[in-house]
């Protein structure tokens, strides 16, 4: 099928080609006089919509019009040239088109009477009205009356370019102004339903979020020993506390050291190294014999452990069963008597119950107290545990005699930061380590190299 | 049987918590942004009770948040702003990379910013809520305002903090609400009572910063961002409660007007206003020009018995407070250049004193050293060149101790070159039976209105005076121009001695007058006491065996405490004696 179609199409093409060849012959006349045969060869006739202006411009033949216009321009140019430059007359004559055609001259307007003026071209519509309004406006302006349109222009609010800036004022602008945030009632912007649906209404904050995560106060005042000029005893007290903290730290350190300690005797000496190297080369027959002896004992023990249990006889089984039954009976009887006896032990039972309750109460109290104490403790909120700050302390000889000589100890910034951590507001964490992705290569510059 | 098999970790605590990373992903924020959001909104990590259950079987340490909290965060409009900011940074980077400077400028102009007003309103629904949480805000602002204006944080933040702290100090001065001051080695602790709330804050000493490395500055800056907003709104409210103009303006018709001459030398025009405010020497302008303030009087309710007693106690306390508020009224102070100006000026002005300093120290000085009406000159150096007769030269600790003692302490212990008595912490409250340092006992006696008139103390004082003289002699050897000062010291001492004698004589006359009246009172009291003691004894006798055991235990504990306190006191005395002996030896 496809093949046949191709054949057909090729046949048609051949026929068309023939036709074009015929047209291009010089003797052959075309219907359209403007279309030259060469044109037809280069482009196929196109069907064009004539209802588009674009297409008019593109496909309509404007050549003759253009030619005419060109002629006109040339004419004018020639006249001008003739007037300006007489000596180059000879040259001008070369172009035939420089002289106006006779037909043009005939068609020229040769009457000496001027054509009548077109009155309409000079008339303005509504001229009288306009003139009158202008006059009135002038009069009013002289009196100082501003027309309404101008007034409107003047009254128009000036679009403030700066207003946008104030709107997006930074949060930490030192000149920012404050207002009574608690005093003013929020303005009703519309229906609550509308506000909610358009997400203009803020979601209500749950009450639980307003609870503080710790019972500790925001500012913990330093112990009285931390005064710049402390009382002797309170200072001693503070020193003792600091000492205890240090002791604890030391203890931890010592423990770590102890755990990491190894036997000094185990270190490799020359002797041991030598022995290791010669191991197996020297005969050690005696030791081997010694080793063999205990092995045999072990085997014997193992054999003795595996003892096959003998099967019980019928009689034995029956007797065991009877014994079991008897025992159970005995126990039930005993339980019964005990229960009967409990009737007479009511008082002691009561006391025992009371005791139990008391102990549970004590335990409850203790648990509660522990919980309370826990509330003041920092929680474990992340990878790291909270590390309390180093205690600020000045030794007795560091104490300043007067305020002028005081050397401040510790930092308030650190204190604040630790306080935030202690109150569970932020999780304790380490500073992120800076990791270099690419290796740095250090190269000495040549100029530098020469010196060093 | 039947039904679906229950899967693990699909109900219970495992579904109530969310890890930090998952929360972050849910909000589509980077970790720093997430952290900032949590701080601003007041959402803190939570430690679950059963970590293994929550962590889906793993015991790895993780940070958890409550899922409901994170859901609440989803509605926050600021989240959108954070995202916008992220994009802004990206665009800016791109423009920089392409060196399109006009684009950079345009982007800079339209930098997205956000406000925290709605968060403040949400977190602190009432003014009192905000006031309760102001401690942190104050500490942070005071801390940041002392930072150097280097790259550690935004300069604007520092300026804003400075402005807010100055406003706060001015408010405290205007309302006279300062209660306690404590000079510690770390910084200065202040406590004020504002609208019935005790507010404590700590101020670092000036120029004492070496920036610690292990502090997360970004977190601190975020907290400060929130707290500056909070403090601003609180101070607006406080100012309006006192009828003061906000932002504060200096009272133009005040009697103590700062001098105008040296302004230009000191600060730029744009800054001089804040500087003048921060000088704390002038009072603030009021909205309604100050009519006489009405003394707040306690409402009287008809009441009986214990209530009456309580009422009386409260009234007494109130009176004491009123007296404390006017502690330095009528006194005129002059600060030497070596003392911490801001702190001292703040304290003096809080209790109604007048204060000035050298012109070159700071703007806003109101009078010169040469002013004859100055009563006290605060000085912290071993000697002064020229002394005036009609003023005390005292060390700065006197002011702070006076504030804590709520009375004007005797000046003698704080004179120039005298070893100062210890500066006790006003924040400790001793319980019954605790050890109380003798200095505090002395102060308490003074508060009660008793004069230290024991013979022993007199001896001590005399000795101290001798010591003082000795020291002065030593100084004379050292300094060539010590003569004048010595004379003046002597004059001052004579004056003091005279005063003390007068007081003593007055005391004596008073004693003569009062004794007959007092005797009766004592009798009554004694009778009452005896009655009480009798009742107590009877009550003890009536006790059950168990209760008695408990009672004995408590009493034993109390006695032990007293014994320990006595031991400490004896130790202290021994220490003092040995010190004295040493001194004497050294003298000889």
């Amino acid at each position: 099928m496809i093949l046949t179609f191709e054949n057909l199409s090729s046949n048609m093409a051949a026929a068309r080609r023939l036709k074009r060849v015929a047209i291009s012959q010089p003797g052959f006349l075309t219907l359209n006089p403007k279309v030259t045969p060469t044109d037809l060869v280069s482009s196929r006739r196109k069907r064009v919509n004539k209802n588009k202006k674009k297409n008019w411009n593109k496909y309509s033949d404007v050549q003759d019009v253009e030619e005419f216009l060109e002629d006109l321009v040339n004419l004018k140019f020639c006249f001008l040239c003739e007037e300006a430059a007489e000596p180059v007359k000879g040259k001008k004559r070369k172009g035939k088109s420089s002289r106006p055609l006779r037909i043009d001259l005939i068609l020229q307007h040769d009457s000496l009477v001027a054509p009548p003026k077109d009155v309409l071209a000079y008339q303005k519509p509504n001229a009288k009205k306009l003139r009158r309004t202008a006059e009135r406006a002038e009069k009013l302006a002289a009196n100082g009356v501003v027309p309404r349109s101008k007034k409107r222009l003047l009254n128009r609010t000036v679009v403030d370019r700066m207003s946008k800036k104030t709107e997006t004022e930074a949060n930490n602008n030192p000149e920012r102004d404050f207002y009574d945030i608690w005093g003013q009632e929020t303005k009703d912007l519309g229906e609550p339903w509308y506000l909610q649906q358009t997400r203009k209404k803020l979601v209500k904050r749950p009450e639980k979020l307003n609870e503080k995560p710790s019972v500790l106060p925001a500012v913990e005042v330093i112990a009285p020993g931390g005064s710049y000029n402390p009382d002797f005893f309170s200072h001693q007290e503070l020193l003792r506390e600091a000492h205890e903290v240090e002791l604890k730290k030391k203890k931890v350190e010592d423990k770590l050291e102890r755990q990491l300690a190894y036997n000094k005797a185990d270190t490799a000496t020359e002797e041991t190294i030598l022995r290791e190297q010669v191991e197996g080369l020297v005969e050690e027959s005696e030791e081997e014999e010694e080793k063999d002896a205990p092995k045999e004992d072990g085997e014997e023990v193992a054999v003795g452990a595996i003892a096959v249990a003998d099967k019980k006889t019928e009689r034995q089984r029956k007797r065991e069963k009877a014994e079991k039954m008897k025992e159970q009976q005995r126990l039930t009887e005993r339980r019964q008597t005990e229960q009967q006896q409990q009737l007479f032990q009511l008082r002691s039972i009561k006391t025992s119950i009371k005791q139990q309750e008391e102990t549970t109460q004590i335990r409850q109290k203790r648990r509660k107290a522990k919980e309370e104490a826990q509330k003041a403790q920092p929680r474990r909120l992340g990878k790291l545990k909270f590390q309390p700050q180093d205690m600020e302390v000045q030794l007795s000889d560091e104490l300043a005699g007067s305020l002028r000589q005081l050397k401040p100890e510790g930092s308030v910034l650190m204190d604040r930061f630790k306080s935030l951590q202690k109150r569970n507001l932020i999780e304790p964490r380490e500073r992120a380590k800076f990791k270099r992705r690419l290796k740095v290569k250090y190269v000495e510059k040549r100029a530098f190299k020469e010196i060093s | 049987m039947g039904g679906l098999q229950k899967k693990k970790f699909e109900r219970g605590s495992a579904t109530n918590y969310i890890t930090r990373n998952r929360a972050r992903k849910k909000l589509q924020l980077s970790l720093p942004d997430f952290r900032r959001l949590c701080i601003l909104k007041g959402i803190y990590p939570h430690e679950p009770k059963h970590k293994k259950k929550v962590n889906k079987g793993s015991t790895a340490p993780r940070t958890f948040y409550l899922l409901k909290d994170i859901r609440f965060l989803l509605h926050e409009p600021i989240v959108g702003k954070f995202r916008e900011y992220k994009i802004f940074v990206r665009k800016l980077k791109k423009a920089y990379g392409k060196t399109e400077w006009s684009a950079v400028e345009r982007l800079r102009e339209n930098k997205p910013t956000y406000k925290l007003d709605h968060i403040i309103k949400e977190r602190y629904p009432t003014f009192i809520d905000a006031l309760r949480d102001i401690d942190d805000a104050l500490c942070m602002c005071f801390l940041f305002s002392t930072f150097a204006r280097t790259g550690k944080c935004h300069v604007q933040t520092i300026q804003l903090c400075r402005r807010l702290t100055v406003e706060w100090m001015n408010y405290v001065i205007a309302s006279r609400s300062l209660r306690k001051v404590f000079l510690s080695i770390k910084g200065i602790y202040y406590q004020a009572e504002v609208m019935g709330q005790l507010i404590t804050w700590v101020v670092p000493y000036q120029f004492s910063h070496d920036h610690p490395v292990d502090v997360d500055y970004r977190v601190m800056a975020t907290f400060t961002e929130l707290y500056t907003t909070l403090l601003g709104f609180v101070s607006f409210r406080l100012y309006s409660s006192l009828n003061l103009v906000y932002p504060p303006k200096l009272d133009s018709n005040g009697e103590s007007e700062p001098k105008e001459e040296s302004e230009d030398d000191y600060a730029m025009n744009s800054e001089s206003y804040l500087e003048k405010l921060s000088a704390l020497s002038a009072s603030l302008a009021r909205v309604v020009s100050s009519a006489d303030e009405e003394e707040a009087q306690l409402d009287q309710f008809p009441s009986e018995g214990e209530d009456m007693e309580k009422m009386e106690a409260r009234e007494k306390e109130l009176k004491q407070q009123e007296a404390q508020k006017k502690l330095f009224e009528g006194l005129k102070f002059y600060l030497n250049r070596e003392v911490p100006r801001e702190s001292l000026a703040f304290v003096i002005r809080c209790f109604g004193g007048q204060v000035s300093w050298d012109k070159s120290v700071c703007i806003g000085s109101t009078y010169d050293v040469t002013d004859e009406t100055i009563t006290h000159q605060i000085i912290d150096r071993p000697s002064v060149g020229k002394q005036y007769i009609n003023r005390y030269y005292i060390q700065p600790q006197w002011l702070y101790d006076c504030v804590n003692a709520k009375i004007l302490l005797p000046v003698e212990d704080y004179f120039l070159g005298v070893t100062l008595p210890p500066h006790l912490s006003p924040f400790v409250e001793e319980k019954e039976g605790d050890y109380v340092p003798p200095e505090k006992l002395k102060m308490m006696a003074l508060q009660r209105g008793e004069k230290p008139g024991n013979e022993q103390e007199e001896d001590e004082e005399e000795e101290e005076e001798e010591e003082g003289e000795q020291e002065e002699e030593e100084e004379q050897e050292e300094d060539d121009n010590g003569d004048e000062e010595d004379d003046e010291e002597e004059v001052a001492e004579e004056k003091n001695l005279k005063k003390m004698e007068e007081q003593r004589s007055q005391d004596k006359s008073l004693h003569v007058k009062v004794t007959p009246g007092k005797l009766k009172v004592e009798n009554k009291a004694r009778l009452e006491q005896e009655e009480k003691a009798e009742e107590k004894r009877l009550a003890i006798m009536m006790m059950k065996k168990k209760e008695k055991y408990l009672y004995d235990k408590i009493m034993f504990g109390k006695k032990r405490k007293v014994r320990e306190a006595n031991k400490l006191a004896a130790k202290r005395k021994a220490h003092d004696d040995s010190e004295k002996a040493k001194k004497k030896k050294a003298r000889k």
Side-chain angles (χ1 to χ4, degrees):
Chain A
M1 279 293 284
I2 295 164
L3 230 164
T4 53
F5 181 76
E6 269 183 1
N7 282 338
L8 194 109
S9 65
S10 66
N11 285 343
M12 280 177 74
R16 228 178 280 147
R17 219 175 292 140
L18 244 176
K19 209 176 180 183
R20 262 187 227 150
V21 169
I23 288 170
S24 60
Q25 296 303 316
F28 202 89
L29 276 173
T30 52
L31 278 177
N32 195 349
K34 282 279 170 333
V35 177
T36 54
T38 45
D39 275 347
L40 269 175
V41 171
S42 62
S43 70
R44 272 157 54 182
R45 202 174 109 85
K46 259 187 187 172
R47 282 192 186 284
V48 167
N49 283 334
K50 286 184 181 162
N51 58 352
K52 296 262 165 62
K53 210 168 192 176
K54 200 170 141 194
N55 289 344
W56 300 352
N57 289 335
K58 216 170 179 181
Y59 297 104
S60 62
D61 212 309
V62 285
Q63 210 175 3
D64 48 351
V65 180
E66 265 173 6
E67 267 172 13
F68 171 72
L69 283 176
E70 209 174 34
D71 282 352
L72 266 185
V73 169
N74 282 345
L75 244 175
K76 242 184 200 170
F77 188 70
C78 276
F79 281 136
L80 281 173
C81 284
E82 272 169 353
E83 281 169 19
E86 281 284 304
V88 274
K89 226 177 178 180
K91 259 188 186 176
K92 264 266 140 94
R93 265 198 190 162
K94 260 182 192 171
K96 264 189 178 174
S97 61
S98 57
R99 195 192 295 164
L101 292 176
R102 183 154 177 77
I103 186 87
D104 287 337
L105 289 173
I106 291 165
L107 284 175
Q108 246 181 3
H109 181 75
D110 58 347
S111 169
L112 291 172
V113 182
K117 263 184 187 176
D118 187 7
V119 182
L120 284 174
Y122 294 92
Q123 255 179 359
K124 262 188 204 167
N126 282 333
K128 202 173 180 184
K129 193 179 165 192
L130 285 174
R131 199 176 61 226
R132 276 197 189 145
T133 49
E135 272 171 12
R136 205 191 309 145
E138 252 174 45
K139 227 184 203 175
L140 284 172
N143 288 344
V145 179
V146 187
R148 188 179 291 161
S149 56
K150 220 175 199 180
K151 233 188 230 169
R152 209 180 286 156
L153 266 179
L154 285 174
N155 286 344
R156 195 178 55 179
T157 47
V158 182
V159 178
D160 200 358
R161 286 280 157 76
M162 301 302 284
S163 64
K164 202 189 166 196
K165 251 184 191 172
T166 51
E167 199 180 295
T168 58
E169 183 183 60
N171 222 346
N172 56 359
N173 181 18
E175 266 89 47
R176 68 168 291 187
D177 57 337
F178 297 99
Y179 52 92
D180 194 357
I181 200 171
W182 292 284
Q184 63 184 203
E185 287 302 304
T186 47
K187 286 166 267 171
D188 262 343
L189 291 168
E191 250 183 303
W193 170 251
Y194 166 75
L195 290 178
Q196 195 193 349
Q197 289 303 308
T198 51
R199 303 189 116 215
K200 271 168 189 144
K201 194 177 159 195
L202 291 174
V203 175
K204 199 181 158 253
R205 188 183 175 86
E207 278 297 308
K208 214 180 172 191
L209 279 182
N210 285 338
E211 284 168 16
K212 283 182 184 166
S214 172
V215 291
L216 289 173
V219 183
E220 281 176 293
V221 181
I222 197 170
S227 161
Y228 94 99
N229 179 15
D231 172 47
F232 177 70
F233 281 111
S234 44
H235 186 231
Q236 290 297 318
E237 182 74 15
L238 192 71
L239 281 180
R240 196 179 53 74
E241 257 171 54
H243 176 69
E244 267 166 21
V245 170
E246 283 300 310
L247 271 189
K248 235 178 224 168
K249 267 189 208 164
K250 186 89 191 6
K251 219 174 170 183
V252 172
E253 247 171 56
D254 284 350
K255 194 184 171 191
L256 191 71
E257 216 151 85
R258 241 182 296 128
Q259 282 169 340
L260 290 177
Y262 57 94
N263 196 358
K264 286 276 161 59
D266 286 348
T267 45
T269 57
E270 277 182 22
E271 195 191 344
T272 52
I273 291 167
L274 190 77
R275 196 182 287 167
E276 216 169 83
Q277 283 169 345
V278 218
E279 188 120 309
L281 298 178
V282 186
E283 282 183 12
E284 292 170 44
S285 55
E286 285 174 24
E287 282 181 23
E288 278 173 22
E289 277 172 22
E290 280 173 19
K291 271 179 189 169
D292 286 345
K295 257 187 186 171
E296 284 163 17
D297 291 336
E299 278 169 21
E300 275 174 18
V301 169
V303 168
I306 305 163
V308 184
D310 291 330
K311 206 173 182 186
K312 286 177 189 168
T313 58
E314 186 99 341
R315 225 176 127 199
Q316 264 177 334
R317 236 176 276 157
K318 271 188 179 168
R319 199 171 38 188
E320 265 176 20
K321 202 177 181 184
E323 264 174 17
K324 224 179 184 176
M325 290 281 281
K326 227 181 182 177
E327 178 69 18
Q328 270 182 353
Q329 215 169 5
R330 195 178 62 83
L331 279 175
T332 46
E333 262 172 35
R334 199 173 160 190
R335 224 173 282 143
Q336 269 180 355
T337 48
E338 256 177 21
Q339 272 178 359
Q340 278 170 5
Q341 286 298 315
Q342 270 181 355
L343 206 68
F344 307 105
Q345 293 172 350
L346 270 179
R347 272 177 75 185
S348 67
I349 288 167
K350 253 186 202 166
T351 51
S352 73
I353 287 172
K354 222 180 188 179
Q355 256 180 3
Q356 262 183 9
E357 273 174 0
E358 260 173 30
T359 49
T360 50
Q361 245 177 14
I362 288 168
R363 270 187 206 144
Q364 273 176 353
K365 244 183 223 169
R366 212 177 289 157
R367 214 174 295 144
K368 220 166 219 178
K370 206 178 168 189
E371 265 173 30
E372 284 296 312
Q374 277 292 312
K375 265 184 197 168
Q377 289 296 314
R379 317 239 57 115
R380 176 79 183 254
L381 294 175
K383 248 184 210 171
L384 299 174
K385 259 186 192 167
F386 170 72
Q387 296 287 344
Q389 198 184 355
D390 291 337
M391 274 183 86
E392 290 99 356
V393 124
Q394 279 187 333
L395 300 180
S396 307
D397 53 340
E398 284 173 339
L399 283 174
S402 70
L403 200 55
R404 179 171 50 94
Q405 289 158 335
L406 169 70
K407 263 188 197 159
E409 191 81 16
S411 138
V412 178
L413 181 65
M414 196 68 197
D415 172 66
R416 290 286 82 215
F417 188 61
K418 285 288 177 185
S419 164
L420 291 175
Q421 287 187 349
K422 202 175 177 186
R423 283 181 287 147
N424 302 326
L425 299 188
I426 48 177
E427 77 272 13
R429 71 194 177 104
E430 255 180 0
R431 196 190 175 134
K433 272 167 202 137
F434 172 69
K435 263 187 219 158
R436 198 181 283 284
R437 210 156 53 83
L438 300 171
K439 231 193 205 165
V440 182
K441 195 174 169 187
Y442 289 98
V443 179
E444 248 185 6
K445 277 189 180 171
R446 198 195 283 166
F448 202 75
K449 227 179 204 172
E450 280 167 9
I451 300 165
S452 62
Chain B
M1 307 309 279
L4 284 173
Q5 193 187 1
K6 276 181 194 169
K7 279 184 189 164
K8 258 184 166 180
F9 314 124
E10 283 199 336
R11 60 181 69 198
S13 51
T15 52
N16 291 338
Y17 288 91
I18 186 170
T19 61
R20 189 182 64 191
N21 215 26
R22 271 178 54 207
R24 197 182 63 72
K25 274 180 185 153
K26 190 167 188 164
L27 287 164
Q28 299 176 20
L29 289 174
S30 65
L31 185 57
D33 275 345
F34 175 72
R35 251 197 206 112
R36 192 183 301 150
L37 181 70
C38 283
I39 289 169
L40 294 178
K41 288 286 279 183
I43 280 161
Y44 309 116
H46 207 275
E47 187 190 29
K49 214 169 193 181
H50 304 290
K51 262 188 192 169
K52 207 172 166 187
K53 270 185 201 166
V54 170
N55 213 353
K56 313 216 162 140
S58 158
T59 49
R62 283 223 173 90
T63 309
F64 291 103
Y65 288 85
L66 285 169
L67 186 63
K68 276 186 182 172
D69 293 1
I70 300 300
R71 276 215 200 106
F72 170 64
L73 278 185
L74 280 171
H75 295 283
E76 177 56 43
I78 277 187
V79 177
K81 290 279 178 190
F82 283 165
R83 292 185 195 135
E84 250 172 58
Y85 193 82
K86 184 182 76 185
I87 288 158
F88 159 74
V89 169
R90 195 196 291 155
K91 280 179 182 167
L92 198 68
K93 235 187 228 168
K94 200 169 180 182
Y96 258 116
K98 289 180 168 178
T99 60
E100 290 171 345
W101 303 123
S102 63
V104 167
E105 203 173 321
R106 192 196 67 232
L107 285 169
R108 278 260 163 84
E109 261 174 27
N110 298 322
K111 185 178 170 181
T113 53
Y114 54 89
K115 288 255 171 190
L116 298 177
D117 302 5
H118 67 279
I119 290 184
I120 296 288
K121 181 82 203 261
E122 178 190 287
R123 286 184 66 174
Y124 307 104
T126 63
F127 175 57
I128 289 295
D129 288 330
L131 209 55
R132 272 187 205 131
D133 220 22
I134 205 82
D135 290 19
D136 254 331
L138 280 172
C139 287
M140 213 60 119
C141 283
F142 271 101
L143 176 65
F144 267 69
S145 66
T146 57
F147 278 0
R149 293 179 188 186
T150 52
K152 283 283 175 197
C153 63
H154 290 291
V155 174
Q156 285 201 317
T157 310
I158 296 170
Q159 280 172 337
L160 180 62
C161 284
R162 176 70 185 151
R163 177 195 145 191
L164 289 170
T165 51
V166 165
E167 280 169 10
W168 172 259
M169 284 199 286
N170 272 313
Y171 168 75
V172 172
I173 287 171
S175 64
R176 301 252 175 120
S177 47
L178 192 69
R179 294 285 170 272
K180 289 170 183 174
V181 192
F182 179 46
L183 300 171
S184 79
I185 48 175
K186 204 193 286 178
I188 306 174
Y189 289 88
Y190 295 97
Q191 191 171 60
E193 194 181 346
V194 177
M195 304 204 159
Q197 303 287 333
L198 280 178
I199 290 162
T200 318
W201 72 96
V202 57
V203 181
Y205 288 110
Q206 231 165 356
F207 315 125
S208 68
H209 282 298
D210 47 334
H211 285 282
V213 263
D214 40 357
V215 170
D216 193 343
Y217 278 83
R218 209 188 296 178
V219 166
M220 298 300 265
T222 313
F223 271 107
T224 311
E225 197 180 355
L226 175 75
Y227 287 145
T228 46
T229 317
L230 173 67
L231 188 56
F233 286 122
V234 166
S235 55
F236 182 93
R237 187 71 184 245
L238 289 173
Y239 269 72
S240 56
S241 76
L242 277 189
N243 267 337
L244 293 168
V245 184
Y246 187 93
K249 282 205 177 79
L250 296 175
D251 199 1
S252 51
N253 52 7
E255 68 270 30
S256 55
E257 211 164 313
K259 285 172 193 172
E260 303 280 321
E261 303 137 22
S262 57
E263 273 175 29
D264 296 335
D265 309 334
Y266 188 73
M268 273 154 56
N269 258 343
S270 54
E271 286 175 347
S272 76
Y273 195 74
L274 182 67
E275 290 294 337
K276 259 192 258 172
L277 261 181
S278 64
L280 304 173
S281 63
S283 50
L284 300 179
R286 289 182 186 262
V287 177
V288 186
S289 54
S290 60
D292 284 22
E293 283 172 52
E294 287 172 34
E295 297 265 318
Q297 279 193 344
L298 215 58
D299 293 340
Q300 297 281 352
F301 297 109
S303 50
E304 302 151 17
E306 282 182 38
D307 281 357
M308 276 293 277
E309 278 175 21
K310 270 185 197 168
M311 281 282 286
E312 271 170 20
R314 266 179 63 193
E315 232 168 85
K316 201 174 168 189
E317 209 173 275
L318 214 71
K319 255 184 197 170
Q320 205 183 11
Q321 240 176 45
E322 281 299 313
Q324 195 201 355
K325 277 180 189 174
K326 290 171 185 165
L327 190 63
F328 295 145
E329 225 154 67
L331 301 182
K332 227 170 166 183
F333 293 89
Y334 187 84
L335 306 181
N336 251 28
R337 58 170 63 250
E338 69 272 8
V339 297
R341 189 201 68 81
E342 195 172 281
S343 166
L344 281 169
F346 175 55
V347 169
I348 290 168
R349 295 271 300 140
C350 272
F351 296 95
Q354 273 179 296
V355 63
S356 180
W357 45 83
D358 194 279
K359 262 200 308 233
S360 57
V361 174
C362 184
I363 207 167
S365 66
T366 43
Y367 42 84
D368 285 333
V369 212
T370 49
D371 197 330
E372 292 287 326
T373 51
I374 292 172
T375 54
H376 295 74
Q377 185 163 344
I378 315 294
I379 195 166
D380 198 2
R381 55 171 88 175
S383 62
V384 238
K386 192 184 170 193
Q387 287 195 343
Y388 291 83
I389 302 174
N390 56 354
R391 68 176 77 154
Y392 294 118
Y393 286 84
I394 43 174
Q395 301 194 34
Q397 198 192 316
W398 180 75
L399 282 166
Y400 297 113
D401 282 350
C402 282
V403 169
N404 293 336
K406 299 175 188 175
I407 45 162
L408 286 179
L409 293 171
V411 225
E412 295 87 45
D413 301 342
Y414 299 89
F415 274 151
L416 210 61
V418 171
T419 8
L420 292 165
H423 178 63
L424 302 172
S425 169
F427 292 96
V428 222
E429 267 153 27
E430 278 98 1
K431 277 175 237 153
E432 196 189 330
D434 278 355
Y435 164 72
V436 183
E439 286 82 11
K440 186 142 193 180
L441 284 175
K442 216 176 182 178
M443 199 184 74
M444 270 145 69
L446 277 168
Q447 276 175 356
R448 265 178 266 129
E450 296 164 14
K451 291 274 165 0
N454 292 338
E455 286 174 18
Q456 280 187 351
E457 281 193 14
E458 272 176 50
D459 285 349
E460 277 178 27
E461 273 168 18
E462 277 171 10
E463 275 176 10
E464 276 171 13
E465 278 161 16
E466 281 172 23
E467 283 167 17
E469 279 171 6
Q470 290 271 340
E471 278 168 11
E472 278 159 26
E473 280 167 18
E474 284 164 15
E475 279 169 16
Q476 210 172 16
E477 285 165 14
E478 286 164 13
D479 293 353
D480 297 327
N481 54 356
D483 294 17
E484 297 172 359
E485 147 207 346
D486 255 18
D487 291 341
E488 254 148 11
E489 279 270 306
E490 274 172 30
V491 168
E493 270 172 32
E494 272 176 68
K495 242 184 156 182
N496 285 328
L497 280 175
K498 263 184 195 171
K499 256 191 196 169
M500 282 171 72
E501 271 173 25
E502 274 175 30
Q503 280 168 1
R504 247 172 254 159
S505 62
Q506 276 177 1
D507 278 358
K508 272 172 195 168
S509 60
L510 274 174
H511 267 296
V512 172
K513 271 181 192 170
V514 169
T515 34
K518 241 185 184 175
L519 267 174
K520 261 187 188 171
V521 172
E522 265 182 14
N523 265 344
K524 242 188 184 173
R526 192 176 287 170
L527 267 177
E528 249 175 47
Q529 268 183 7
E530 273 174 10
E531 223 168 79
K532 265 188 188 168
E534 186 70 25
E535 269 175 24
K536 204 174 174 185
R537 217 173 56 219
L538 284 173
I540 289 167
M541 275 166 73
M542 287 295 287
M543 266 184 200
K544 278 182 197 166
K545 198 173 171 188
K546 213 173 183 179
E547 284 170 351
K548 178 129 193 222
Y549 172 71
L550 198 67
Y551 177 77
D552 282 345
K553 223 175 170 181
I554 290 168
M555 289 315 283
F556 177 75
K558 266 190 184 172
K559 268 180 195 164
R560 190 174 50 192
K561 239 182 191 176
V562 169
R563 226 184 304 138
E564 270 167 11
N566 282 341
K567 216 192 257 173
L568 274 177
K571 222 173 164 185
R572 163 80 191 220
K573 188 141 195 261
H575 173 77
D576 281 356
D577 285 345
S578 67
E579 288 275 291
K580 215 176 269 172
K582 254 188 216 166
K583 261 190 189 170
K584 267 186 186 172
K585 257 186 195 172
R587 231 187 285 157
K588 279 160 197 171

